[in-house]
Amino acid sequence: MSDVPSRRYARGWGALSLAVGAVLVSAAAQSPDRDTEHEQPAAASHDVTAVVAVDGCAAGGGLCSDPRHAVVLGGDRVLTGRPFTLGPKATGPVELALRTPGVLADVTVTDQRGRRIAGSQSADHTRWTSAAPLPAGARYAARLVVDGTGAGGAHRARLDFRTAPMPAGERLTVTFGPGDGGTYGVGRPVTAELSRPVPEDDPDARRAVERALDVRSEPHVEGAWHWVDPTTLHYRPRTYWPAHATVRVHSGLDGAHIGGGLYGGPSRPLTFTTGAKIEAVTDVSAHRMAVFRDGELLRILPVTTGKAGYRTRGGVKVVLGKEPLVRMRGDTIGIKRGSTDFYDLKVRWATRVTWSGEYLHAAPWSLDAQGSEDVSHGCTGMSTEDAAWLFRTVREGDLVRVVNGYGKPMTPFDNGFGDWNLSWPEWLRGSALATDATGSAVGPAAGGLSPTL
């Protein structure tokens, strides 16, 4: 996404503007429908004239084309204007723009802690726009070098300003997953749980949230957020995470204006790493599971999967956790006690792939069927030795792919992490920002026991 916002998303944004070389009378003019907050002279300088005005464009009222702040440089090379405050309606990215001939040879904007604010210049170097809206209640300094405004070469200017404080009220915060970091498989999506719902019918608020949730990986990969529901987002790459990557997740919601009277609050960042790419591919028709590490075949295991009426779900699943011993009962999936299908078993080396109770586990009672027929109630059963080996080999976030089966596809979100069963275009349709991107599908692959590369 470009650092310079498009005209489509400029609607309702406030702008901070710099004009050099001529007095802008219109910038200082007041009108009944304007919310003019400041009209101050510049700091002492005998041959510098400065006019400061705050534009009153209402949010949602179209482009704010008038200057929010106009400064006129005279004979002095350096001007320091008096600090000013952007009004509460200036909730979008900040813009510094020349209204007279010349170029912005250099622009540096820093916050009160000296951190540089990301932004970009227009192609003609007459306009600088911050990459994102600036948080409320903070101080900023803009240092500019303006060239081509007349004889004498470059002029320097410093503008000190602050954003309006946040009004009182509840803040929108976010909790990231997985947990407290650690090492996970390459299929583990990033999750974001919001403290307050952001409804689908408020796309501007959803865009504000997405812009503030930053995910970066080393090495870099293409990825996007997807709204699962009004309080939940998932982030995944176009393809899986690289093996042995570092993923850093940060919220820029603190102080950000979300919409209406809602502002963001502080949230804890997240850092996690990925291990080797482990993928277990079960070919239902062949009754075999092939386990790969970074594309290299480690082992082929004879297995049994779900029989008629209890078919194992197809597609890509993600390891949710591991339980060395778990009790499994038929009544938890609707099988009545006393029926021929009822079971009550203590199962060892159980690797969970759905919240409803689908596991890869030891099934010593079905050894005769493993490798030849399907006799389970939906789980993937194998020998105790093979189940123990698999249990030691995989970790949370590793991939389990079921091909050539007869069951329904794994759903994307309501029973574990089925995120990879959406193609990339389908995934992007769940983002409030990426609405017109295209790409190839990244869903489950048909075929035999081969890894996805």
Side-chain angles (χ1 to χ4, degrees):
M1 182 177 66
S2 172
D3 287 334
V4 180
S6 67
R7 193 173 184 87
R8 176 183 175 186
Y9 296 124
R11 186 175 179 85
W13 285 356
L16 168 69
S17 298
L18 170 74
V20 180
V23 178
L24 298 181
V25 178
S26 63
Q30 300 184 38
S31 62
D33 60 347
R34 291 198 170 188
D35 184 24
T36 303
E37 295 187 354
H38 299 274
E39 191 169 330
Q40 305 170 352
S45 181
H46 69 281
D47 56 356
V48 173
T49 304
V51 179
V52 178
V54 177
D55 175 36
C57 293
L63 293 174
C64 292
S65 58
D66 292 335
R68 281 211 178 267
H69 184 63
V71 178
V72 181
L73 298 185
D76 267 7
R77 300 292 178 83
V78 181
L79 169 67
T80 302
R82 292 180 62 184
F84 62 95
T85 300
L86 292 175
K89 294 177 181 178
T91 56
V94 166
E95 180 183 276
L96 308 177
L98 289 176
R99 301 300 188 193
T100 56
V103 295
L104 291 172
D106 186 63
V107 178
T108 302
V109 181
T110 55
D111 66 12
Q112 58 204 33
R113 296 171 59 183
R115 297 173 300 188
R116 188 163 182 166
I117 303 302
S120 62
Q121 292 216 48
S122 59
D124 60 2
H125 284 257
T126 63
R127 188 183 307 270
W128 179 94
T129 306
S130 64
L134 301 185
R139 298 191 306 274
Y140 301 90
R143 295 172 178 85
L144 308 109
V145 177
V146 182
D147 201 0
T149 59
H155 292 254
R156 299 186 303 276
R158 169 173 170 151
L159 305 176
D160 291 297
F161 63 96
R162 67 173 63 234
T163 49
M166 286 185 291
E170 186 179 352
R171 303 286 179 249
L172 179 69
T173 59
V174 60
T175 301
F176 294 118
D180 295 325
T183 301
Y184 296 84
V186 300
R188 179 50 160 99
V190 176
T191 58
E193 296 291 336
L194 305 179
S195 62
R196 293 189 57 175
V198 179
E200 186 177 4
D201 60 4
D202 192 349
D204 288 339
R206 287 197 167 190
R207 282 192 288 267
V209 170
E210 278 192 59
R211 288 191 188 99
L213 303 183
D214 183 55
V215 182
R216 302 186 183 189
S217 67
E218 300 173 7
H220 172 75
V221 292
E222 178 185 5
W225 288 103
H226 184 105
W227 288 83
V228 177
D229 58 48
T231 60
T232 308
L233 297 90
H234 287 192
Y235 184 100
R236 51 156 268 205
R238 182 170 184 161
T239 55
Y240 305 125
W241 295 108
H244 312 292
T246 299
V247 181
R248 294 181 174 87
V249 189
H250 170 76
S251 170
L253 286 172
D254 195 12
H257 182 245
I258 307 303
L262 180 62
Y263 284 78
S267 300
R268 184 178 179 181
L270 168 69
T271 299
F272 68 94
T273 58
T274 61
K277 180 185 178 183
I278 302 293
E279 185 176 22
V281 184
T282 298
D283 186 330
V284 174
S285 63
H287 309 289
R288 295 188 303 169
M289 173 189 289
V291 182
F292 300 86
R293 177 187 288 126
D294 292 332
E296 179 183 355
L297 178 64
L298 297 180
R299 199 161 176 172
I300 294 181
L301 315 177
V303 297
T304 182
T305 61
K307 61 185 178 181
Y310 303 95
R311 296 298 191 187
T312 302
R313 298 170 184 84
V316 182
K317 306 160 194 176
V318 173
V319 173
L320 302 176
K322 301 189 295 182
E323 301 168 52
L325 184 66
V326 61
R327 183 182 178 187
M328 297 185 181
R329 300 196 321 270
D331 51 3
T332 63
I333 60 171
I335 301 175
K336 294 182 179 180
R337 289 179 178 271
S339 72
T340 56
D341 273 334
F342 182 78
Y343 57 91
D344 188 344
L345 300 167
K346 291 183 178 179
V347 177
R348 300 194 64 191
W349 310 123
T351 298
R352 181 188 286 268
V353 292
T354 73
W355 298 123
S356 63
E358 183 182 329
Y359 290 86
L360 319 176
H361 63 76
W365 54 85
S366 64
L367 280 175
D368 290 344
Q370 292 166 20
S372 59
E373 59 180 317
D374 298 318
V375 299
S376 84
H377 291 85
C379 292
T380 301
M382 61 199 74
S383 71
T384 300
E385 178 187 354
D386 287 345
W389 175 85
L390 184 67
F391 190 92
R392 294 190 301 268
T393 301
V394 301
R395 58 163 50 95
E396 183 181 339
D398 282 340
L399 300 163
V400 175
R401 186 158 56 94
V402 177
V403 300
N404 297 332
Y406 321 106
K408 295 180 179 179
M410 174 71 175
T411 53
F413 305 116
D414 62 352
N415 199 14
F417 295 129
D419 305 48
W420 305 103
N421 295 293
L422 294 180
S423 69
W424 187 238
E426 288 173 329
W427 184 264
L428 292 180
R429 283 196 284 273
S431 167
L433 294 176
T435 57
D436 57 358
T438 60
S440 57
V442 187
L449 301 179
S450 60
T452 52
L453 301 176

